[in-house]
Amino acid sequence: MKKKVLTTTIATGLMAAGVLTTQNPVSAKADTVPKGDNATSTNEVATQESDAKTIAQNNVNTAQTNLDKYKADTQNASDSLQQAKANETTAQKAVDEQTNKVADAQSNVDKAQADVTTAQNGLTAAQENAKNATETNIQAAKDNVATQEQTVATAQDQAKQATDAVTEQANKVADAQKAVNDAQKNTSAAQNNVNAAQKTVDDAKAAMDPANVQATVDTANKAEAQVNKDKQDVAKAQIDLDNAKAADATRQTNIDNAQKAVDTAKSNVDFSTKQAQEMKDQFNKYQGIKDAAQKEVDGLNDKLSNVNTITISDVEAYKKAFNDWYTGSKRGENWTEEDKNFLNDFMSSNTYKGNAADKNITVDINHLTADQIKELSLFSADLLNQVRNQLGLPKVIVTEGSLKLAKDVTDNYVSDNWDKFDHDVDGISRAAAENGLLSGGNFYEDAIFSSDFSEASTMDDLKSILYTGIVTMIGGSGDEMLHAAGLLGVDFGDDISTGKEQYFSAGTSMFPIKEDQMWITKMGHFFNVSKDYIRDSAKFSTTEVPGTSTEDLVTQLNTAKAKLASATDALNKAKDADTQAQQILAKNKVELTTAQDNLTKAQNVPVQTEIAQKALTDVQNKLAADTKINEDAQAKKEAALGDEAAKQKVLDQANANLATAQKALTDAQAKQKAAENNLSAEKAKLASLQQVANEKTQDVKAAQVALDDAKNKLATLENAPLLVKAAEDKLAAAQKALDPVENVLVSEKAKLSALKQDLADAQADVTTAQKNYDEKLAIQTKAQTDLDNAKKVLQAIYDREALEAQIAAQEKAREEAEKKAAEKAQAEKNGYHVDGNKVVDENGNQVANWTVKNGQIIDNKGKVVSGLTINKAGAVVNKTGQQINSKNVVDNLQFKRTQAPVVQSKVAGKTYVSTVVAPEKAKTNALPQTGEKESKTTLVGAILVGLGSLVGLFGLGRKKEY
């Protein structure tokens, strides 16, 4: 009943917790077990528990499987999300890089467009200039140049006059400066004279003193000696002045000669500059002519490089293959492998060149315009004439009548809804009759078919079909040469060298073929009209349609090359003349520089006369001053040596001389002031003249600018055609440069648009992947929750089982303990039993000499007492399991000691051999130990010892069990 209650409690607890109660209905049944039948109730509960455990384990397994699957799904979703994000990053990087490319491309377009605008403005200006380049305007420009040249000359003369005036005034300033200097010197000399006169007066006064006589004599002698020396210095200074004047005359001669050399060199430079400009203009003129010729050659080369050509590598081999096909009783029977290989090589080696411009021209293949038919006919005729020219055959001619025939035939194909790989003979005949030609059969058309599953066509597509048609037909496609004969104008069976001139045109049409499936077939038509097929010339115009053939281009190219060679020769000569003129100009400029350097050197030679004159004047002034001093000294000497009256006379004269010197100083100071005023006036005049000279120099420069402008305007008018041509070339080049960069911009923008779409797709993928990942993660999270709940339920069941097992074990242990307690009580009551480590009898008395150790009975010698064991109740029993007691322990030992026979025993499948020795019959109450008193306890001990020995013999070799 306890177990049932426990199970019910656990189940109720699980239900209360809400843990998977719907997945474990057995738990709910526990409370409904009938109380009256314990056995049935227990079995039902056990079955229910087993089912619940199985269901719970299955739920865990299922939840784990689901979780593993959802984890894999989540990981896959995560991988997809990461990849989507990586793709988004890559796409974003591509968009960023492409955005930069678009910006660069836009910048290039803007620059190229600016260049076009600049070039257009330049062309407009050049064209306007060309309009103005009339004879009248050119003559006016020449007259203006002449006028400006005269203006320059006049300005140069005026500037020279102003410069000369400045030079002249500068000389006057120099003279005035010299006058000031001289006046200053005179003033200084006058001051010196005043000082000397004052000193003379002072000396005269001193001479009145007898004590100064000798000093006066000495001064007079010294003054006389100084005068003599001054006279020698004056003579030397005069010689130096004469030499300086001669040197200055030489200097001036050198300056004059150097100036003449400068003037001559400048004139040469002016002349060679003009000549060099003329040669430069001439060179530029021929450069323009040569550039125009080169452009024409380049343009023709470009055209020829884009021209489709058909080349026969070996004309004789082709003629042989052609003729071999027609010879023999059956056409083609004489065709050799060599013929076939040659024709195959011919067809494979001639391939169509695509044309970028034609690829941008869409066409309605069934409704070509007149211009389109004309273009295709001239294109095909040129190809055919290339072949005819190589074979020496007459050319085909595109005429107005052949173009109309082509249009009418192709229109009939369309109106007849033609859908067969064959000729619309009826449509061809109707068109021939309408155009005044022989009718009743296909006498005109060859055709090539091309199936490409596309109705869209460009002019390049049609030219490719026509090119392929001519090559394959000329090359004997289909193992026959009938098409070749028709295109080459050779009658069937005739030798290939007998071709005829024909009127030629080409056209196209398109129609669906209805067999296993529908596909679009494009057809190229070639029409050859022989002159003898014309029945009504009024209906068939033979007026030739003008066009430029490859041969015409070659002729034009040769003519252009000749013009280029002539222009190049003229340009080279002009270049040589220009180079020579530039060399002469450079040489003259060097000579001018040298002459100017020589003039500078000559001018830098110092003027010596003025210095020498000053030196002479200085020594002359010194001589005069010293002479005066000497005279005064001599007078003082005479006075000193004379009488008092004479000395007084000297003093009077000294005072008179002092007054004269003072007056001379006043005059000198007045003259110096006047000289300084004059110098200031002359400097003011010089500054004014210098200003005028500067203005005249600026006038020369302005006149020279006007002259250069006039020359440039004249050159612009004279070279107006070349300038227009150059401006046109520049504009064409700018426009040509604009197209590719615009194409690049369009391409880069298209790429950017595509990349942005890729980015948008990548971002959408990220959004989708993120949503998918979130959904998968939510499912995984729920699966994890389900697994956790399932594990909780299973663990609850395990916990319940463990608890039940624990209770059962405790119950069993209790029962066994009760059983053991009962058995122990019974054992204690019936006989010898164990109490701890002691052996006691049924009365509770301890048995002497016996102890219990490790579940065995040990005697007082430490040996195991054989034959006795201790059972689970703790009772001491013999080998038969009988508990011994105080009564039967003696009976067990009452037998004689005899030699026993050999005894074999089997234990655990093994045979043991032993000899049993029986003891002699013991005496009652006899003790085996010596010296012990006889007692009940000791007697029992001795008996047990003997019994143990006896039992031990029988137990020999047995496996111990505990």
Side-chain angles (χ1 to χ4, degrees):
M1 185 63 192
K2 291 181 180 178
K3 187 174 183 180
K4 173 192 170 187
V5 173
L6 175 63
T7 303
T8 303
T9 302
I10 294 175
T12 303
L14 290 174
M15 292 175 64
V19 180
L20 293 179
T21 54
T22 58
Q23 297 183 14
N24 192 5
V26 244
S27 298
K29 295 179 181 179
D31 286 335
T32 64
V33 177
K35 299 181 179 180
D37 190 350
N38 289 341
T40 302
S41 174
T42 303
N43 291 335
E44 287 181 355
V45 170
T47 301
Q48 291 172 359
E49 289 177 352
S50 177
D51 292 343
K53 181 178 180 182
T54 300
I55 292 172
Q57 184 62 59
N58 290 339
N59 289 341
V60 169
N61 295 341
T62 300
Q64 184 65 59
T65 300
N66 291 339
L67 177 60
D68 293 341
K69 175 182 179 302
Y70 295 144
K71 279 186 175 179
D73 292 343
T74 302
Q75 184 59 50
N76 291 335
S78 176
D79 294 342
S80 298
L81 176 59
Q82 295 306 314
Q83 183 60 52
K85 288 183 176 179
N87 293 341
E88 179 188 20
T89 300
T90 300
Q92 184 64 60
K93 181 179 179 182
V95 167
D96 294 341
E97 292 176 350
Q98 190 61 31
T99 300
N100 293 333
K101 290 182 180 179
V102 169
D104 293 340
Q106 184 65 59
S107 176
N108 292 336
V109 168
D110 294 341
K111 182 179 182 301
Q113 185 61 60
D115 292 342
V116 169
T117 301
T118 301
Q120 183 63 60
N121 294 336
L123 176 58
T124 301
Q127 291 171 336
E128 185 66 26
N129 177 66
K131 291 180 182 178
N132 296 328
T134 62
E135 290 296 331
T136 300
N137 290 339
I138 291 175
Q139 185 58 49
K142 289 181 178 179
D143 294 342
N144 186 39
V145 169
T147 299
Q148 292 302 326
E149 287 176 342
Q150 183 58 46
T151 300
V152 170
T154 300
Q156 288 175 336
D157 290 342
Q158 291 177 352
K160 186 176 186 305
Q161 292 174 6
T163 302
D164 292 343
V166 168
T167 301
E168 182 179 356
Q169 185 62 30
N171 292 333
K172 289 182 180 180
V173 169
D175 293 340
Q177 183 65 56
K178 182 177 181 299
V180 169
N181 295 339
D182 291 342
Q184 289 175 340
K185 292 176 183 178
N186 292 336
T187 299
S188 178
Q191 182 64 57
N192 292 334
N193 290 337
V194 168
N195 295 338
Q198 182 63 54
K199 186 174 184 303
T200 301
V201 169
D202 294 338
D203 291 342
K205 289 180 179 180
M208 299 290 289
D209 185 356
N212 295 326
V213 172
Q214 186 58 47
T216 301
V217 171
D218 293 340
T219 299
N221 293 337
K222 186 182 295 184
E224 185 177 6
Q226 183 63 48
V227 168
N228 293 333
K229 182 178 181 301
D230 288 344
K231 289 179 180 180
Q232 294 175 355
D233 291 341
V234 168
K236 182 178 180 302
Q238 184 63 56
I239 295 173
D240 291 341
L241 176 60
D242 294 340
N243 292 336
K245 288 180 178 180
D248 286 346
T250 301
R251 172 182 176 277
Q252 188 60 49
T253 299
N254 291 339
I255 290 174
D256 294 341
N257 292 336
Q259 184 63 58
K260 290 179 182 178
V262 168
D263 294 340
T264 300
K266 187 175 184 304
S267 177
N268 291 338
V269 167
D270 292 342
F271 176 79
S272 57
T273 298
K274 181 178 180 181
Q275 190 175 47
Q277 184 59 50
E278 291 174 354
M279 293 303 99
K280 176 63 71 176
D281 294 342
Q282 182 173 318
F283 172 74
N284 292 335
K285 173 183 176 182
Y286 285 110
Q287 181 68 58
I289 295 173
K290 189 261 184 185
D291 290 344
Q294 183 67 59
K295 182 181 180 183
E296 184 178 2
V297 169
D298 292 341
L300 289 169
N301 278 327
D302 288 341
K303 289 182 179 180
L304 284 170
S305 66
N306 292 320
V307 167
N308 284 278
T309 58
I310 300 177
T311 304
I312 300 175
S313 61
D314 189 336
V315 172
E316 295 305 320
Y318 180 81
K319 290 181 177 181
K320 176 181 179 300
F322 185 92
N323 290 327
D324 285 350
W325 190 83
Y326 282 104
T327 59
S329 60
K330 184 179 180 182
R331 287 172 177 169
E333 68 178 355
N334 289 337
W335 237 357
T336 65
E337 288 300 316
E338 181 183 5
D339 292 335
K340 295 178 181 179
N341 290 336
F342 173 78
L343 292 174
N344 286 334
D345 289 342
F346 166 78
M347 286 187 287
S348 63
S349 61
N350 288 285
T351 57
Y352 176 72
K353 296 179 182 177
N355 187 294
D358 287 341
K359 289 178 181 178
N360 294 323
I361 301 175
T362 57
V363 296
D364 182 351
I365 189 171
N366 285 337
H367 301 89
L368 296 179
T369 66
D371 287 339
Q372 290 170 344
I373 292 177
K374 174 183 174 182
E375 181 177 352
L376 294 174
S377 297
L378 291 172
F379 170 77
S380 302
D382 179 53
L383 295 172
L384 189 53
N385 282 333
Q386 292 178 36
V387 176
R388 285 188 169 218
N389 184 52
Q390 294 174 73
L391 296 174
L393 299 175
K395 296 181 180 179
V396 296
I397 302 173
V398 177
T399 67
E400 298 289 349
S402 65
L403 292 179
K404 185 174 183 301
L405 175 65
K407 186 176 188 309
D408 291 345
V409 172
T410 54
D411 287 346
N412 287 344
Y413 268 85
V414 175
S415 64
D416 292 348
N417 293 318
W418 197 252
D419 60 357
K420 301 178 181 63
F421 278 119
D422 199 357
H423 299 283
D424 182 6
V425 177
D426 182 62
I428 296 170
S429 295
R430 294 201 314 272
E434 291 172 1
N435 286 276
L437 301 175
L438 174 66
S439 61
N442 179 19
F443 307 118
Y444 311 99
E445 184 200 48
D446 291 287
I448 180 71
F449 300 87
S450 172
S451 299
D452 59 4
F453 303 95
S454 174
E455 296 186 17
S457 296
T458 66
M459 185 62 73
D460 186 66
D461 294 332
L462 303 188
K463 288 183 179 180
S464 175
I465 294 172
L466 296 175
Y467 180 93
T468 303
I470 292 177
V471 170
T472 54
M473 290 177 181
I474 296 297
S477 63
D479 293 334
E480 56 99 345
M481 299 294 284
L482 293 175
H483 287 290
L487 290 175
L488 297 176
V490 180
D491 288 337
F492 300 144
D494 288 349
D495 185 88
I496 191 173
S497 61
T498 60
K500 65 183 72 174
E501 183 182 88
Q502 293 174 312
Y503 303 122
F504 178 82
S505 58
T508 60
S509 63
M510 178 174 67
F511 49 89
I513 294 297
K514 304 180 182 69
E515 291 183 2
D516 294 340
Q517 60 180 351
M518 178 183 291
W519 69 86
I520 301 302
T521 297
K522 296 177 182 177
M523 185 175 182
H525 308 269
F526 305 99
F527 305 98
N528 282 290
V529 179
S530 299
K531 294 180 179 179
D532 52 358
Y533 282 2
I534 301 175
R535 295 291 180 263
D536 187 350
S537 59
K539 293 182 178 180
F540 187 86
S541 174
T542 58
T543 301
E544 183 175 357
V545 175
T548 302
S549 66
T550 301
E551 185 178 1
D552 294 335
L553 290 176
V554 171
T555 300
Q556 293 175 14
L557 176 61
N558 291 334
T559 300
K561 286 182 177 178
K563 288 170 57 180
L564 176 60
S566 176
T568 301
D569 181 63
L571 176 62
N572 290 335
K573 291 179 180 178
K575 182 179 182 180
D576 292 341
D578 177 53
T579 300
Q580 186 176 7
Q582 294 297 333
Q583 291 174 346
I584 293 173
L585 174 59
K587 174 177 173 295
N588 289 338
K589 285 183 176 179
V590 171
E591 291 179 353
L592 174 60
T593 300
T594 301
Q596 289 173 333
D597 290 343
N598 291 336
L599 175 60
T600 300
K601 290 178 181 178
Q603 290 173 335
N604 288 337
V605 173
V607 176
Q608 301 180 37
T609 299
E610 182 177 355
I611 296 174
Q613 181 64 58
K614 179 177 182 301
L616 175 60
T617 301
D618 289 344
V619 295
Q620 285 176 338
N621 291 335
K622 190 172 187 303
L623 174 60
D626 289 343
T627 299
K628 183 64 176 173
I629 292 172
N630 182 47
E631 290 175 353
D632 292 341
Q634 295 301 326
K636 290 178 182 178
K637 176 182 176 181
E638 292 178 0
L641 296 176
D643 53 16
E644 290 299 324
K647 292 180 181 179
Q648 185 61 50
K649 183 179 179 180
V650 170
L651 176 60
D652 294 340
Q653 185 60 46
N655 286 325
N657 290 342
L658 176 60
T660 301
Q662 287 174 335
K663 183 177 183 304
L665 175 59
T666 300
D667 294 341
Q669 288 173 337
K671 289 180 179 180
Q672 178 181 343
K673 181 63 176 177
E676 288 174 347
N677 292 337
N678 182 60
L679 176 60
S680 297
E682 295 296 342
K683 283 184 176 181
K685 289 181 182 180
L686 177 60
S688 176
L689 292 173
Q690 186 65 58
Q691 178 64 31
V692 173
N694 292 339
E695 292 174 355
K696 295 301 181 182
T697 300
Q698 293 300 321
D699 291 343
V700 171
K701 291 180 180 180
Q704 186 63 53
V705 170
L707 175 59
D708 294 339
D709 183 59
K711 286 181 177 180
N712 290 335
K713 289 181 179 178
L714 175 60
T716 299
L717 292 174
E718 289 178 334
N719 296 317
L722 291 176
L723 293 175
V724 170
K725 182 64 175 174
E728 290 174 342
D729 293 345
K730 187 174 182 180
L731 177 59
Q735 290 173 333
K736 185 177 180 181
L738 176 61
D739 291 339
V741 296
E742 283 183 333
N743 292 337
V744 169
L745 177 59
V746 171
S747 175
E748 297 297 347
K749 283 185 175 180
K751 291 178 183 178
L752 178 59
S753 178
L755 290 174
K756 284 184 175 179
Q757 183 58 52
D758 291 344
L759 176 58
D761 293 342
Q763 290 171 337
D765 290 344
V766 169
T767 301
T768 301
Q770 184 68 55
K771 180 179 179 183
N772 183 52
Y773 172 73
D774 293 341
E775 292 174 351
K776 298 298 182 184
L777 183 59
I779 293 173
Q780 176 187 328
T781 302
K782 184 178 182 302
Q784 182 66 56
T785 301
D786 292 344
L787 176 60
D788 293 341
N789 291 337
K791 285 183 176 180
K792 288 178 181 178
V793 172
L794 181 60
Q795 186 62 44
I797 293 174
Y798 278 120
D799 291 345
R800 181 181 64 198
E801 288 181 345
L803 181 58
E804 290 176 348
Q806 180 180 359
I807 293 172
Q810 291 173 352
E811 181 66 20
K812 183 177 179 181
R814 183 187 62 77
E815 291 175 352
E816 289 181 353
E818 290 176 351
K819 182 179 178 182
K820 286 182 180 180
E823 291 175 349
K824 183 177 181 182
Q826 188 64 37
E828 291 176 352
K829 180 180 179 182
N830 292 337
Y832 287 4
H833 60 274
V834 174
D835 183 8
N837 63 347
K838 299 180 293 180
V839 178
V840 297
D841 60 13
E842 61 274 17
N843 297 316
N845 298 317
Q846 181 177 357
V847 178
N849 301 320
W850 280 5
T851 59
V852 178
K853 185 177 182 181
N854 296 328
Q856 294 177 318
I857 300 173
I858 307 299
D859 63 14
N860 59 353
K861 293 183 179 181
K863 296 181 178 181
V864 177
V865 178
S866 300
L868 297 179
T869 58
I870 301 171
N871 66 13
K872 294 180 179 181
V876 178
V877 299
N878 60 18
K879 65 179 182 178
T880 63
Q882 180 183 5
Q883 184 176 9
I884 64 173
N885 52 38
S886 299
K887 180 179 180 181
N888 62 22
V889 68
V890 176
D891 295 336
N892 278 297
L893 297 177
Q894 296 298 320
F895 49 86
K896 294 182 179 179
R897 176 185 290 276
T898 60
Q899 181 67 39
V902 175
V903 178
Q904 292 185 350
S905 62
K906 289 187 177 181
V907 180
K910 294 183 180 180
T911 301
Y912 296 88
V913 179
S914 61
T915 300
V916 180
V917 179
E920 294 181 355
K921 184 177 180 180
K923 296 180 179 180
T924 304
N925 297 327
L927 297 176
Q929 291 92 349
T930 303
E932 292 186 358
K933 293 183 178 179
E934 189 180 68
S935 66
K936 181 178 182 180
T937 302
T938 56
L939 176 61
V940 172
I943 294 173
L944 289 177
V945 170
L947 180 60
S949 300
L950 177 63
V951 174
L953 293 176
F954 286 100
L956 180 64
R958 290 197 178 191
K959 181 179 180 182
K960 296 180 180 179
E961 294 182 0
Y962 297 95

